[in-house]
Amino acid sequence: MAQNEYDATPRELRNFALLQIVLTAAFLAALFWMLGGTDADRPHWAVWVGLLVAVAVGGVLADRVWLSAAPLDPATDPEENRSAAVGVYAAQTVRKLILCEAPLLLAVLVAFVTDSGGWPIAIAGLPGLIVMAFEVWPSLRNVSMTATMLDANGAESDLIDSFV
């Protein structure tokens, strides 16, 4: 059976994803303005590269989370498999969120320990939010990749139909 299940519905997952994206954007915007925006000197190019690489690595790791899904048992009740599939997808969404937010928290840390104002948040914030929205939102791409892993042994998870 699948691991790391959560009791969730597709609607709750959409609301969770939307809430996390909006809250993260608001948090980054508040910190950006609190630190003075772009009034400070731009940071060294190595900071730019480091933060953008961190965002890219977080995105790549988040994109591979769907590979961790164990196939469902085809002998299990179809309704139970459907519920388990949504739970597995919910657990993957939380892991993707953590992996996508880690570079953003790194940018916040860099902004506080350097004298570059809000530049680190500006550098990593927009690309990081785009990556987070792409990875966390239950799009057809994200749901179908997880469904492929869950249905690998012949089970019918109906995960895609759950989100349509």
Side-chain angles (χ1 to χ4, degrees), residues 50-69:
L51 290 173
L52 292 175
V53 165
V55 169
V57 167
V60 167
L61 291 176
D63 202 44
R64 299 183 53 79
V65 165
W66 65 275
L67 292 171
S68 66

Side-chain angles (χ1 to χ4, degrees), residues 27-88:
F27 174 72
L28 291 176
L31 285 176
F32 176 77
W33 295 117
M34 183 184 77
L35 292 169
T38 56
D39 290 342
D41 293 333
R42 283 188 227 157
H44 191 264
W45 64 268
V47 173
W48 286 70
V49 171
L51 290 173
L52 292 175
V53 165
V55 169
V57 167
V60 167
L61 291 176
D63 202 44
R64 299 183 53 79
V65 165
W66 65 275
L67 292 171
S68 66
L72 296 173
D73 183 13
T76 307
D77 178 48
E79 190 59 38
E80 190 176 321
N81 270 347
R82 186 177 191 148
S83 175
V86 174
V88 169

Side-chain angles (χ1 to χ4, degrees), residues 14-27:
R14 282 190 190 95
N15 290 341
F16 174 76
L18 184 62
L19 179 68
Q20 292 303 316
I21 293 166
V22 169
L23 286 178
T24 302
F27 174 72

Side-chain angles (χ1 to χ4, degrees), residues 3 12 19-20 25 42 50 59 61 76 79 90 109 120 124 130-132 149 156-157 161:
Q3 297 176 353
E12 291 171 339
L19 179 68
Q20 292 303 316
R42 283 188 227 157
L61 291 176
T76 307
E79 190 59 38
L109 179 68
I130 291 170
V131 167
M132 184 183 357
M149 290 301 289
E156 292 292 326
S157 68
D161 294 335

Side-chain angles (χ1 to χ4, degrees), residues 90-103:
Q92 290 182 350
T93 300
V94 171
R95 275 185 260 145
K96 286 180 176 188
L97 180 67
I98 291 168
L99 291 169
C100 290
E101 282 192 350

